[in-house]
Amino acid sequence: MSHTSEPTAAEHGTLPVVVVGAGPVGLTAALALRSHGLPVTVLEAEPEDRVRPGSRALFVHRESLDLLGRISPGLDRTLIDNGVIWPTRRTVYRSRTVFARSYPAQPARPGVTPPFTSLRQIETERHLLAACRAAGVEFLWGAELLDLRSHPDGAELTCADGTELSARYVIGADGARSQVRRSQDITMEGERSEAFHVVVDIEEDQADPLPLERVFIYEHPELGHRSVMRVPFAGGFQLDLQCKDGDRPEDWADEEAARSWVAKVVGAKYADRLLWVSRYHFLHVVAENFTDANRRVLLVGEASHLFPPFGARGMNSGIADSVAAAEAVAQALADPGRHLAAIDAFADSRKAAARFNSEAARTALAHLRPRRRITRLRQAAGAALSPLVGSCGEWLERAPYGPRTGAPTNRAGRY
Ligand SMILES: Cc1cc2nc3c(=O)[nH]c(=O)nc-3n(C[C@H](O)[C@H](O)[C@H](O)COP(=O)(O)OP(=O)(O)OC[C@H]3O[C@@H](n4cnc5c(N)ncnc54)[C@H](O)[C@@H]3O)c2cc1C
């Protein structure tokens, strides 16, 4: 285990708060806690020099940028400057464009946040980590949490290498297989489907790049009428292919297979520019509780919810979870008499937000993977009518991402 700053966590006695997991959500929690003036220790199972996979969460919403700028002034600008903002959204039905809208480029103005920025998750994490270091967050790398016991006054943590820590609060940001969640016997409620989609990162050809646009193609004619989306990021783009029920992974998700379908979507020259190929199953699950019985453990990010990536709800809602969790912990530490109220308010509001996101993801999936013939027919009719009725093209454009508004919110934002 390597310690990046002194004095070490072990020398602190009972720590006010420990964050488990140094993914984007745990790093955000650490920064948010520092913005409240709290010392923070992050336990991360992997080593400091780890290499994280792929683009994953590209799309950072305006709300997330605002939250990050609030807890770490300037971080929002860093992400904006290192990402891309595509000026065009386009939707194609089979071979015909049914919706296209371009926005004039907005000059960067201080105090004005663009609607989003797009960069690979590894890049976002790199900037978050740098901000954490600058803010004085203590990291324990190679520290895999094995056991966590909560009690009315705090929690005891045990790592695989024998390190033991005591904390008054623990924020569990340790991802989908969260040991924090398991240690508290908190179950996940929801569904996992055997159906999958394939995500490929591709390096752009800077000498002759594709137009900077986000394109969703319904029923691509050369892919057996599977739908595919192209999302630019700084230096490249991600293709996301919706496979059909019964598709075999080896036909679509192997690198060789991916080369073949990528060439059909964006041209042969891109077949040799693959950076990362991955396969994902559809999940929408939410933890039954976002805190433990003693209100000493708070779950955030994928430790508490998993959604399909359409709508970019995963990391964005995790950022909002973390800011809300840090606020609750800061309130509870400042005024122990408000301990239960502060932690319960966090747990209730973030669970409600996760449920909203889960439902929104379900709505998006019903559109993306229509089970009923009538849904497919409606999409075909919408495409046919789109030249005459603008709202049809607009519907086809928006529906794959699910509803955006109406989420129960708290001050941490919509997601
Ligand atoms: C293909 C794809 C596309 C996506 N696109 C988007 C998008 O556009 N926008 C969006 O918002 N989201 C998107 N997401 C979701 C996003 O990637 C996740 O929501 C995000 O990575 C979750 O972050 P996290 O910090 O909660 O978990 P993770 O990133 O999984 O981090 C958890 C951390 O905890 C550590 N850890 C685990 N167990 C332990 C332990 N026992 N002890 C100590 N440390 C531990 C892990 O090593 C890891 O560092 C996408 C996901 C996928 C798969």
Side-chain angles (χ1 to χ4, degrees):
M1 183 188 300
S2 66
H3 298 246
T4 54
S5 63
E6 298 296 335
T8 64
E11 289 159 10
H12 280 125
T14 298
L15 297 160
V17 52
V18 166
V19 175
V20 184
V25 174
L27 295 173
T28 302
L31 278 177
L33 290 161
R34 291 297 299 131
S35 75
H36 288 284
L38 294 167
V40 49
T41 302
V42 177
L43 293 188
E44 169 52 53
E46 293 187 338
E48 188 169 4
D49 60 356
R50 66 182 173 161
V51 178
R52 294 271 278 167
S55 56
R56 304 212 282 160
L58 293 178
F59 194 91
V60 187
H61 285 290
R62 173 188 280 145
E63 290 84 349
S64 299
L65 290 168
D66 285 341
L67 288 175
L68 293 171
R70 204 174 86 200
I71 60 172
S72 178
L75 181 55
D76 48 346
R77 184 46 54 194
T78 302
L79 296 184
I80 294 162
D81 291 346
N82 285 280
V84 292
I85 300 170
W86 52 83
T88 302
R89 295 185 285 139
R90 199 155 66 85
T91 300
V92 176
Y93 189 88
R94 300 196 170 172
S95 315
R96 191 165 58 78
T97 293
V98 293
F99 176 94
R101 188 164 295 161
S102 295
Y103 303 85
Q106 299 290 328
R109 273 180 294 150
V112 178
T113 314
F116 66 89
T117 187
S118 181
L119 66 170
R120 302 176 89 197
Q121 186 172 319
I122 40 175
E123 286 299 299
T124 300
E125 290 179 13
R126 192 166 64 79
H127 297 299
L128 282 166
L129 186 57
C132 282
R133 290 203 167 108
V137 173
E138 181 185 9
F139 286 93
L140 303 186
W141 298 100
E144 182 191 354
L145 179 85
L146 271 194
D147 190 37
L148 170 63
R149 277 166 296 119
S150 97
H151 51 78
D153 299 319
E156 311 302 321
L157 301 96
T158 307
C159 296
D161 66 356
T163 301
E164 301 202 333
L165 297 173
S166 299
R168 292 184 61 197
Y169 292 94
V170 174
I171 296 184
D174 51 342
R177 295 191 177 85
S178 172
Q179 183 59 20
V180 173
R181 187 186 67 232
R182 288 185 218 195
S183 70
Q184 303 307 302
D185 283 332
I186 297 174
T187 54
M188 296 292 257
E189 300 168 336
E191 294 159 33
R192 179 186 194 278
S193 145
E194 279 315 305
F196 62 92
H197 60 129
V198 183
V199 181
V200 184
D201 283 358
I202 298 160
E203 188 186 4
E204 186 48 280
D205 173 4
Q206 298 300 349
D208 180 21
L210 288 169
L212 193 57
E213 54 184 17
R214 196 270 291 123
V215 189
F216 187 92
I217 306 170
Y218 285 85
E219 305 203 4
H220 196 297
E222 289 190 64
L223 302 182
H225 292 161
R226 289 165 184 81
S227 297
V228 64
M229 177 169 71
R230 174 164 70 85
V231 184
F233 57 76
F237 56 89
Q238 188 185 74
L239 287 181
D240 189 320
L241 175 74
Q242 297 295 312
C243 290
K244 294 183 177 178
D245 288 350
D247 277 351
R248 299 185 319 165
E250 56 269 35
D251 294 338
W252 298 97
D254 282 358
E255 197 157 323
E256 257 333 286
R259 279 185 215 289
S260 146
W261 66 258
V262 162
K264 291 176 185 160
V265 178
V266 282
K269 73 174 177 183
Y270 288 106
D272 294 326
R273 293 178 162 266
L274 272 47
L275 299 170
W276 179 64
V277 181
S278 196
R279 167 164 58 103
Y280 287 95
H281 289 268
F282 296 107
L283 287 155
H284 27 96
V285 290
V286 175
E288 55 166 345
N289 291 311
F290 279 44
T291 186
D292 68 313
N294 294 304
R295 317 296 199 276
R296 292 288 166 180
V297 178
L298 295 79
L299 295 179
V300 293
E302 290 203 336
S304 58
H305 48 69
L306 287 160
F307 315 123
F310 278 82
R313 298 167 192 281
M315 187 177 75
N316 285 291
S317 66
I319 288 170
D321 293 342
S322 280
V323 173
E327 206 163 298
V329 167
Q331 277 176 14
L333 284 168
D335 179 2
R338 294 213 54 227
H339 157 72
L340 287 180
I343 306 302
D344 279 344
F346 153 80
D348 292 348
S349 65
R350 294 319 298 164
K351 183 174 177 185
R355 287 222 157 155
F356 171 84
N357 282 320
S358 183
E359 270 315 302
R362 189 193 309 273
T363 308
L365 272 186
H367 182 87
L368 281 167
R369 310 176 60 81
R371 304 239 156 239
R372 296 183 310 153
R373 202 160 164 260
I374 186 77
T375 310
R376 254 179 212 283
L377 288 174
R378 279 181 65 209
Q379 292 174 1
L385 287 171
S386 63
L388 303 170
V389 185
S391 58
C392 288
E394 200 133 340
W395 169 63
L396 288 166
E397 154 71 18
R398 289 191 187 280
Y401 314 102
R404 282 204 56 180
T405 55
T409 90
N410 64 10
R411 279 196 289 140
R414 174 170 39 178
Y415 295 93

